[in-house]
Structures are given as structure tokens and as C-alpha cells.
Amino acid sequence: MNRNLSRIIALSAGAIAIALPLFAGDYPLQVARNVMMYMALAITWDMLLRSGQISFGIAGLFGLGAYAGILGMIRGGMPAWLSIPFAAFVAGFAAFLIGFMILRLRAMYFSIVTLALGEIFRIIIHNLHDFTGGPEGIVIQQGVIFGGSSSKLYWLTLGGLAVAIAASYWFEHSKIHFALTAIRNNETSAKSSGIDIFKWLLVAFVVTSAIQGLLGGIFVQSYGFATPETVFSADFTLLPLAMALLGGVYSTVGPIFGAILLGLVAEWLKLKIPYGHLVVYGIIIILVILFMPNGLLGRIRQTTGKRAGRTA
Amino acid sequence: MTKLETANLTRRFMGLVAVNNVSFKLEQGEILGIIGPNGAGKTTFINLVSGIIMPSEGTITFNGRDITYMPAHERARLGIARTYQLIHPLENLNLIENVMIGSIFAKGSSLKEARRKAERLCEEMGLTNLERDTAKLTILEIKKMEIARALANEPEVLFLDEVMAGLNSDETKDLIATVKKIAAERKLAVGVVEHVMGVIRELTNRVIVLESGELIAEGPYEEVSKNPRVIEAYLGGAA
Ligand SMILES: Nc1ncnc2c1ncn2[C@@H]1O[C@H](COP(=O)(O)OP(=O)(O)O)[C@@H](O)[C@H]1O
Ligand SMILES: [Mg+2]
């Protein structure tokens, strides 16, 4: 695609996104907020995938951030605005510590351990009844950010998305792009080019986890409460993954594209089959992996004769 | 001046001794051939000195400094570069980006600087049309790209593991000339593993011969090729 054309599309999309609350009602704003939240998670999942590591831990870090934010406010007396960067910090710091243990693992082993992480966080929070509110969850009695104004919450979420997009752009246009791509392609030859594999994986894991935590922090502000079941829901792992795969991996545009498509479908599905929608994402993931490994974007690039991100 | 030295270097894989008690020196400005039948331990030896695997016993020194257990990426920064027997083009990066990697991480260059250096290296290697996808390159171009990527580390020591494999005789001639030129201009210490004895004769000042992990002979190719033990190793190994 022509560079200027892409820039114009990006700028107009940004302008529309910013202006949306001026003409849209509460329901569409809430749908848009959901789509943006998942979009941002899809982007962060893709950012780590660029190193070849498949994480199933999105919900874990998102939920951890959500609880860090809400507990920071309720137990720590933080103002609402501060709880959000605090959520990012806690998730990022947790990822830093965990990273030392798990970033030596590869492929399936890494994926399974990240999946277990979410469960561990959930169980701990579930059982620390006095501090976290246990299975019943915890509610922000007063001081919810922006008094719950739906347009301001929308902008807040848009801000979270902007952070994810900016980070992803940075990942695509700096040394880290070369580091992660080289690691994904061949770790042995990456080492021979002077790449400290562990260091770059740690950077990618901490940055993506911090953003996932940040989004969790924004999420609890938007809803005013957290329960282990809501914030650690498998939705937060499966839906972003399906979105990125559907749109096309190893880029910022792919997950955005996939999130718009699947996010709108998901909203509709949730209304139609409230308990079965996860199955549909599962099926989408399987179909995309089998028949369209480069995603829709890859398909488009292939048919327009441009280089597509390869999967192997 | 001795750039790289090993003393009693040994690597075992379970019961198998892939490299057995090898002591050698690599001098600045020389091109050393590393020969021996299949499975003799040549690649394992390069893996050891470049830090891809760690030795079971023995020491490795670079410019007089002990680097026996130094991680591979640090050795790359220090000045030891290599290519691989199996080619490793980074498929999601194009030709020039593949070459840039070395300067970015081994030398800490900015992306802009790395690109400029990579352009110069590619020109030196005779590579053109630098924005090409690696899938569009010929084997010779891929081999040159991999050498250029190693050179982007700005190494003092360079190991080439069977770079001529898969090339026809014209391409081989081309690459021999290129390797000689880049080695001479940089006063590199080069270690080349090669199957084709004609290449070894053309390219090297000195060879070492490995058999079953042991260093069995050393000297100029003309001399070593007449050594009865070497002849037997090759005939016995049916190489
Ligand atoms: N990672 C490994 N694990 C087990 N055995 C290995 C490994 N790498 C090499 N070997 C064995 O070590 C011996 C030497 O192999 P190699 O160094 O590749 O030989 P060459 O390069 O001279 O053909 C072979 O018998 C090979 O099977
Ligand atoms: Mg070999």
C-alpha cells in the first residue's frame, strides 16, 4: 500500500476514534470500548509473538493489573488515576521476575507455563479473601474515575489503545524489531550476530505484560469492580489471539484489522449465544491456522503480490 | 600474532567424544583449513570456539583472554564471527536487513549507521539490489549475504563452515577470490571447513586435520596431503 495513503487512512481513523463520543450513544460507545480493549490486547500478544513466543498468559497479566489497580485504590488509598499506571507497574514487575524463570522455555513449554500463570494469579486472588474480596470480588465504592462518564471512559480506553499502538510501532521501527525477528528465525544464528536473546525476550515480555496490566487497570475503572472470574476470563486470552491471527500476525495493522472484524462479530455473538461464543473463537483460531496462516492481511498482500509475513 | 588459541579442548556428547583434546592456534592474517572426514568434529569445533556449545574440558583464549565459558553473543561482540553449514537467511528480513543485524548488535550501531555499513559490505561482496527478499536470492548470493552478515560484526576471527557447498565451479572461484580479498584487507584470522580439497589448496596457508575428534596432522596442505595417517583417515572414512 502507498505510504501516504496509509498515513491518511490512519489519521482519519484516529480522528474518527477521538470524535466518536461526540455523536455516538452509550451502547455503541461501550461496544467500541470493548473492541479497543481487545484490539490493544491483540497488539501486545502479537508483539511478543514477533520473537516466536506464543503466550497464553494475556488474561493472567490483564487480571493481575486489574486487581493491582483496584486494590491500590481500595487498600492502598490511591487516587483512581494513579491506580492505572500502578496496574501497569505491577504487571510489568511481575513479568520481570517471572521472566527470569520462564524465558528459557520455548515453544509449547513456554505457552503452557504462561497459561498456568494466569491460573496461579487467579487462585491466589481467589484465596486471599480478606485482602482481595475472594470469589465474590471487590467493588469500588467511591472515587471511580471520571464519575463513570461513558465518553470519558471511552477516551481513557482509547488512550490505553494508543499506548499499545505506540509501543507496537516502536517495536516495528527500532533495534528490537531486528532482535525479535532474528530470534524468531533462528536463535543460534542470532547469538552469532551478538544478540543477547534472553535480554530482548525479557524486554518484550515486560513491555507487553505492563501494557496488558495497564489495560486491566483501565478495565476495572470502567466497570467499577473486579471478580476473579471476570478479570481472568479466558475471553481476554482467546479473543485477542483470534483477532491477531485473523487479521495477520507480525504487524500492528493485522491485529487492528482482525479486532475490528472479530470485535463486532463477538459483540453480536455474545448477545446471540452468551455461553457458546468462546467456542466460536476457538473454531476461528483453528480455521485461520489451518487455511490462512498469514491472516487476512497476508492474503491481501499475497494477492497484491507483496511480501507476506511468513510463519515458519 | 595469535588471535585464537585452544588448549586440550574436548567436548563429549554422552559417550561420544566429538572433539578430543584439540590444541591449536590461529594467527592474524592466516587462512587455516580445517579438514577431516564427515563426523570428524569440525562443526563441533567451530561451535565450541564461537560459544554455541560449551566444552567439557580445555580452554579457549582470544587475544590472550580466557573466553572458555563466555556466551556466544559476547564472543560475537568481542570479535569472533562465523557462518553456518546450514544456511540461515532471516526470512522475514530482506537482503540488506540481514546484513545489518551484525552491526546493530555486535557493534551497537544505530539503524542508520548499520544500513550504511551494510551497503558498503554488500558492495564489497558483489551483492546488488539490496532490498530483495531472501527467497529471491541465488545460493551464491545467500552465502555472500551470510559472510557479509558475519563481517558486519567487524570480527578479528572468522570461521566459515562449508560455505562453498552447493556452488558450481565458477561460483566457487568467485567466492574463493572474495574470501581471499576480504580476509587480506582486514588482516583477518580465518578458519575454513571445506570438503573440496581443491578449495583448501587454493585458499589456505595451513591446514589442521581432525579425525574422530582428534587433531592428527597440521601443516601446509601440500605436506599434510602426503601424510599417511591423513590419507588413511580419508580412505577409511570413505569421504
Ligand atoms: N548436539 C549433538 N549431540 C550429539 N552428538 C553430536 C551433536 N553435534 C555433533 N554430534 C556428533 O559429533 C560428531 C562430530 O560431528 P560434527 O562436528 O558435525 O562433524 P563434522 O562437521 O566434522 O562433519 C558426529 O558424530 C556427530 O554426530
Ligand atoms: Mg560439519
Short mmCIF file of all heavy atoms in Angstrom, two decimals, chain A residues 67 71 75 121-135 138 228:
data_model
loop_
_atom_site.label_atom_id
_atom_site.label_comp_id
_atom_site.label_asym_id
_atom_site.label_seq_id
_atom_site.Cartn_x
_atom_site.Cartn_y
_atom_site.Cartn_z
N TYR A 67 -6.57 -6.30 39.29
CA TYR A 67 -6.59 -6.38 40.75
C TYR A 67 -5.60 -5.41 41.38
O TYR A 67 -5.87 -4.82 42.43
CB TYR A 67 -6.34 -7.82 41.23
CG TYR A 67 -7.64 -8.54 41.49
CD1 TYR A 67 -8.22 -9.35 40.52
CD2 TYR A 67 -8.32 -8.35 42.69
CE1 TYR A 67 -9.43 -9.98 40.75
CE2 TYR A 67 -9.53 -8.97 42.93
CZ TYR A 67 -10.09 -9.79 41.96
OH TYR A 67 -11.30 -10.38 42.19
N LEU A 71 -7.06 -2.82 43.99
CA LEU A 71 -6.56 -2.93 45.36
C LEU A 71 -5.71 -1.72 45.74
O LEU A 71 -5.72 -1.28 46.89
CB LEU A 71 -5.76 -4.23 45.54
CG LEU A 71 -6.60 -5.52 45.47
CD1 LEU A 71 -5.70 -6.74 45.46
CD2 LEU A 71 -7.60 -5.58 46.62
N ARG A 75 -7.34 -0.65 48.97
CA ARG A 75 -6.47 -0.96 50.12
C ARG A 75 -5.34 0.05 50.27
O ARG A 75 -4.87 0.29 51.37
CB ARG A 75 -5.85 -2.35 49.96
CG ARG A 75 -6.85 -3.46 49.76
CD ARG A 75 -7.52 -3.89 51.05
NE ARG A 75 -8.44 -4.97 50.80
CZ ARG A 75 -9.73 -4.96 51.19
NH1 ARG A 75 -10.21 -3.92 51.86
NH2 ARG A 75 -10.50 -5.98 50.90
N PHE A 121 -2.29 -16.76 39.43
CA PHE A 121 -2.74 -15.44 39.92
C PHE A 121 -4.19 -15.52 40.38
O PHE A 121 -4.57 -15.01 41.42
CB PHE A 121 -2.64 -14.37 38.82
CG PHE A 121 -1.24 -14.07 38.38
CD1 PHE A 121 -0.99 -13.67 37.07
CD2 PHE A 121 -0.17 -14.16 39.26
CE1 PHE A 121 0.30 -13.38 36.65
CE2 PHE A 121 1.12 -13.87 38.85
CZ PHE A 121 1.35 -13.48 37.54
N ARG A 122 -5.01 -16.17 39.57
CA ARG A 122 -6.43 -16.24 39.86
C ARG A 122 -6.68 -16.97 41.18
O ARG A 122 -7.44 -16.51 42.04
CB ARG A 122 -7.18 -16.95 38.73
CG ARG A 122 -8.70 -16.79 38.79
CD ARG A 122 -9.38 -17.56 37.67
NE ARG A 122 -9.18 -18.99 37.80
CZ ARG A 122 -9.82 -19.76 38.67
NH1 ARG A 122 -10.71 -19.25 39.48
NH2 ARG A 122 -9.56 -21.05 38.73
N ILE A 123 -6.00 -18.09 41.36
CA ILE A 123 -6.21 -18.88 42.57
C ILE A 123 -5.73 -18.11 43.81
O ILE A 123 -6.40 -18.10 44.84
CB ILE A 123 -5.50 -20.25 42.44
CG1 ILE A 123 -6.25 -21.08 41.40
CG2 ILE A 123 -5.47 -20.98 43.78
CD1 ILE A 123 -5.49 -22.30 40.91
N ILE A 124 -4.59 -17.45 43.68
CA ILE A 124 -4.08 -16.67 44.82
C ILE A 124 -5.10 -15.61 45.21
O ILE A 124 -5.47 -15.46 46.39
CB ILE A 124 -2.72 -16.02 44.49
CG1 ILE A 124 -1.65 -17.10 44.35
CG2 ILE A 124 -2.32 -15.02 45.58
CD1 ILE A 124 -0.30 -16.58 43.87
N ILE A 125 -5.57 -14.87 44.21
CA ILE A 125 -6.51 -13.79 44.49
C ILE A 125 -7.83 -14.33 45.05
O ILE A 125 -8.41 -13.79 45.98
CB ILE A 125 -6.73 -12.94 43.22
CG1 ILE A 125 -5.47 -12.09 42.99
CG2 ILE A 125 -7.96 -12.07 43.33
CD1 ILE A 125 -5.37 -11.45 41.64
N HIS A 126 -8.23 -15.45 44.50
CA HIS A 126 -9.43 -16.14 44.96
C HIS A 126 -9.34 -16.47 46.44
O HIS A 126 -10.30 -16.37 47.20
CB HIS A 126 -9.56 -17.43 44.13
CG HIS A 126 -10.89 -18.08 44.18
ND1 HIS A 126 -11.27 -18.90 45.19
CD2 HIS A 126 -11.93 -18.02 43.32
CE1 HIS A 126 -12.50 -19.34 44.97
NE2 HIS A 126 -12.92 -18.81 43.83
N ASN A 127 -8.15 -16.85 46.89
CA ASN A 127 -7.99 -17.35 48.26
C ASN A 127 -7.58 -16.30 49.29
O ASN A 127 -7.74 -16.52 50.48
CB ASN A 127 -7.00 -18.50 48.28
CG ASN A 127 -7.63 -19.75 47.68
OD1 ASN A 127 -8.68 -20.19 48.11
ND2 ASN A 127 -7.01 -20.27 46.63
N LEU A 128 -7.02 -15.18 48.82
CA LEU A 128 -6.66 -14.12 49.78
C LEU A 128 -7.92 -13.31 50.09
O LEU A 128 -8.00 -12.11 49.84
CB LEU A 128 -5.58 -13.20 49.19
CG LEU A 128 -4.17 -13.76 49.12
CD1 LEU A 128 -3.24 -12.74 48.47
CD2 LEU A 128 -3.66 -14.12 50.52
N HIS A 129 -8.86 -13.99 50.67
CA HIS A 129 -10.20 -13.44 50.84
C HIS A 129 -10.24 -12.06 51.48
O HIS A 129 -10.87 -11.12 50.98
CB HIS A 129 -11.06 -14.42 51.64
CG HIS A 129 -12.50 -14.22 51.44
ND1 HIS A 129 -13.17 -13.16 52.02
CD2 HIS A 129 -13.41 -14.88 50.71
CE1 HIS A 129 -14.44 -13.22 51.66
NE2 HIS A 129 -14.61 -14.25 50.85
N ASP A 130 -9.54 -11.92 52.60
CA ASP A 130 -9.62 -10.66 53.35
C ASP A 130 -9.05 -9.48 52.59
O ASP A 130 -9.53 -8.35 52.71
CB ASP A 130 -8.86 -10.80 54.68
CG ASP A 130 -9.58 -11.75 55.62
OD1 ASP A 130 -10.78 -12.01 55.35
OD2 ASP A 130 -8.96 -12.24 56.57
N PHE A 131 -8.04 -9.75 51.80
CA PHE A 131 -7.40 -8.65 51.10
C PHE A 131 -8.07 -8.37 49.75
O PHE A 131 -8.26 -7.21 49.37
CB PHE A 131 -5.92 -9.01 50.88
CG PHE A 131 -5.09 -7.88 50.33
CD1 PHE A 131 -4.93 -6.70 51.04
CD2 PHE A 131 -4.47 -8.00 49.09
CE1 PHE A 131 -4.17 -5.65 50.53
CE2 PHE A 131 -3.71 -6.96 48.57
CZ PHE A 131 -3.56 -5.79 49.31
N THR A 132 -8.44 -9.42 49.05
CA THR A 132 -8.90 -9.24 47.67
C THR A 132 -10.43 -9.34 47.52
O THR A 132 -10.96 -9.05 46.45
CB THR A 132 -8.32 -10.34 46.75
OG1 THR A 132 -8.79 -11.61 47.21
CG2 THR A 132 -6.80 -10.32 46.77
N GLY A 133 -11.10 -9.75 48.56
CA GLY A 133 -12.54 -9.95 48.44
C GLY A 133 -12.90 -11.34 47.97
O GLY A 133 -14.09 -11.67 47.88
N GLY A 134 -11.89 -12.15 47.68
CA GLY A 134 -12.13 -13.55 47.32
C GLY A 134 -13.02 -13.71 46.11
O GLY A 134 -13.07 -12.84 45.24
N PRO A 135 -13.72 -14.85 46.03
CA PRO A 135 -14.52 -15.16 44.84
C PRO A 135 -15.65 -14.15 44.57
O PRO A 135 -16.06 -13.99 43.42
CB PRO A 135 -15.09 -16.55 45.12
CG PRO A 135 -14.88 -16.78 46.57
CD PRO A 135 -13.73 -15.95 47.00
N ILE A 138 -14.53 -7.57 44.38
CA ILE A 138 -14.34 -6.34 45.14
C ILE A 138 -14.89 -5.18 44.32
O ILE A 138 -14.77 -5.16 43.10
CB ILE A 138 -12.84 -6.19 45.50
CG1 ILE A 138 -12.62 -5.06 46.50
CG2 ILE A 138 -11.99 -6.02 44.27
CD1 ILE A 138 -11.23 -5.12 47.14
N PRO A 228 -12.56 -12.58 40.34
CA PRO A 228 -11.59 -13.44 39.65
C PRO A 228 -12.14 -13.95 38.33
O PRO A 228 -11.42 -14.02 37.34
CB PRO A 228 -11.36 -14.59 40.64
CG PRO A 228 -11.69 -14.01 41.97
CD PRO A 228 -12.78 -13.01 41.74
#
